[in-house]
Amino acid sequence: MIRKASGEVQPFIPAKLKESLRRSGAKSTITEEIIKEIDQWISLEVEKTKSAIPSKTIYKKAFSLLRSRTISNAARYKLKNAMMEMGPTGYPFEYFAGEIYKVLGYSTEVGKTLQGECITHEVDVVASKGKHQRFIECKYYSSTGKNANVQVPLYIHSRVNDIIAKRSKSPEFKDYTFSGGIVTNTRFTSDAETFGNCAGLHLLSWDYPAGNSIKDIIDREKIFPVTSLTTITKAQKAILMQQGIVICRQLLENREALDELKLTSRKLKKVLEELRDLCG
């Protein structure tokens, strides 16, 4: 038995681990080796502790085994956890959300204060495409056990409507259309999804909507967060994010940013190899 981040206890399902390893790009032979080792390890641990093993512990074990075999696949495998490491403030995640909307064809502005009909509002991301603007709220959580509940879209809906009421009357935005959006690094509850869709909000989470979720977009567009890198430390990732570097592609386009990390030539070579592999 394993214990999920939510506290729920359930049987270990090798197929789920296999799918995670498959998504990382690991070869089938490596995947089978790791699943076999994990299965044997879980049996020994449960026999020794007589209790369910946290899924987080299993993840760390699988990551360690994968990293010992292939670095770039390990970086892809840890993607979900990498999303949790974009804190603690959540500001890096706002810039990351801006990068997501850029690859979706929008021009973006991060951290804007907009006047509504009644009050002013701080908007995390303003995404524009042609004569359409979307006002986006980012909900960052540092734990996979926390989800955005229905209160989030209820609140965002009212704020977005106040901004739209003001801009719809402005000559500057004549013939414009507007919408709201919410991006979270975890998940939405079912009620949040139902209300958000009914209210016309664009919802984007780790696994929603199916086929075009955050994980799908990252994998398809190769916009891996710098926190997914396995060749630098958390402290070094924090230095990069303080400079506004939130995706790996930015490092390949601006290698001078790596100078701040004071890496040895050997370490720099490893980092660049991982970057090239991740970014294709």
Side-chain angles (χ1 to χ4, degrees), residues 46-58:
V46 169
E47 187 178 339
K48 184 168 63 179
T49 62
K50 307 297 181 186
S51 62
I53 300 174
S55 57
K56 191 175 182 179
T57 304
I58 296 171

Side-chain angles (χ1 to χ4, degrees), residues 106-124:
Y106 291 80
S107 60
T108 61
E109 297 176 283
V110 178
K112 301 293 290 182
T113 300
L114 304 182
Q115 182 62 51
E117 184 78 358
C118 303
I119 60 172
T120 57
H121 302 270
E122 290 185 7
V123 179
D124 294 334

Side-chain angles (χ1 to χ4, degrees), residues 89-116:
T89 62
Y91 290 122
F93 182 64
E94 292 172 15
Y95 282 95
F96 184 75
E99 293 297 325
I100 287 177
Y101 269 89
K102 281 181 185 177
V103 303
L104 294 177
Y106 291 80
S107 60
T108 61
E109 297 176 283
V110 178
K112 301 293 290 182
T113 300
L114 304 182
Q115 182 62 51

Side-chain angles (χ1 to χ4, degrees), residues 5-6 79-87 93 96-97 100 137-150 152 182-190 192-193 203-210 212-216 218:
S6 61
L79 182 57
K80 189 175 183 179
N81 273 44
M83 300 302 297
M84 306 298 137
E85 294 175 11
M86 299 193 81
F93 182 64
F96 184 75
I100 287 177
E137 176 80 3
C138 297
K139 299 303 293 183
Y140 168 81
Y141 300 100
S142 57
S143 168
T144 56
K146 294 182 179 179
N147 297 324
N149 62 30
V150 71
V152 175
I182 307 169
V183 181
T184 181
N185 63 324
T186 56
R187 292 182 168 92
F188 293 105
T189 63
S190 58
E193 288 179 5
L203 305 181
L204 184 62
S205 76
W206 170 250
D207 57 2
Y208 185 90
N212 207 31
S213 63
I214 288 178
K215 65 180 179 182
D216 294 320
I218 290 173

Side-chain angles (χ1 to χ4, degrees), residues 14-209:
K16 286 187 177 182
L17 176 59
K18 185 175 183 177
E19 177 59 20
S20 296
L21 292 168
R22 186 196 64 77
R23 283 200 307 267
S24 77
K27 293 179 180 179
S28 58
T29 51
I30 292 177
T31 296
E32 294 300 332
E33 287 173 10
I34 292 174
I35 289 174
K36 186 176 179 180
E37 285 191 50
I38 290 289
D39 202 21
Q40 292 172 345
W41 172 76
I42 287 176
S43 298
L44 291 172
E45 287 296 305
V46 169
E47 187 178 339
K48 184 168 63 179
T49 62
K50 307 297 181 186
S51 62
I53 300 174
S55 57
K56 191 175 182 179
T57 304
I58 296 171
Y59 159 80
K60 286 181 178 179
K61 180 71 174 179
F63 172 72
S64 177
L65 291 171
L66 184 58
R67 192 175 188 276
S68 67
R69 292 166 168 83
T70 165
I71 290 177
S72 62
N73 290 148
R76 292 185 180 92
Y77 178 72
K78 71 165 289 191
L79 182 57
K80 189 175 183 179
N81 273 44
M83 300 302 297
M84 306 298 137
E85 294 175 11
M86 299 193 81
T89 62
Y91 290 122
F93 182 64
E94 292 172 15
Y95 282 95
F96 184 75
E99 293 297 325
I100 287 177
Y101 269 89
K102 281 181 185 177
V103 303
L104 294 177
Y106 291 80
S107 60
T108 61
E109 297 176 283
V110 178
K112 301 293 290 182
T113 300
L114 304 182
Q115 182 62 51
E117 184 78 358
C118 303
I119 60 172
T120 57
H121 302 270
E122 290 185 7
V123 179
D124 294 334
V125 181
V126 178
S128 303
K129 183 190 287 187
K131 286 199 169 186
H132 180 76
Q133 280 192 338
R134 181 168 290 159
F135 312 113
I136 300 154
E137 176 80 3
C138 297
K139 299 303 293 183
Y140 168 81
Y141 300 100
S142 57
S143 168
T144 56
K146 294 182 179 179
N147 297 324
N149 62 30
V150 71
Q151 297 300 322
V152 175
L154 280 167
Y155 172 59
I156 302 308
H157 183 50
S158 61
R159 292 183 61 205
V160 166
N161 282 350
D162 190 40
I163 296 170
I164 293 174
K166 178 69 174 178
R167 295 209 162 189
S168 295
K169 299 174 183 177
S170 171
E172 181 186 352
F173 298 103
K174 187 177 184 298
D175 299 326
Y176 268 69
T177 56
F178 306 97
S179 63
I182 307 169
V183 181
T184 181
N185 63 324
T186 56
R187 292 182 168 92
F188 293 105
T189 63
S190 58
D191 280 351
E193 288 179 5
T194 300
F195 178 82
N197 288 321
C198 180
L201 296 171
H202 180 252
L203 305 181
L204 184 62
S205 76
W206 170 250
D207 57 2
Y208 185 90

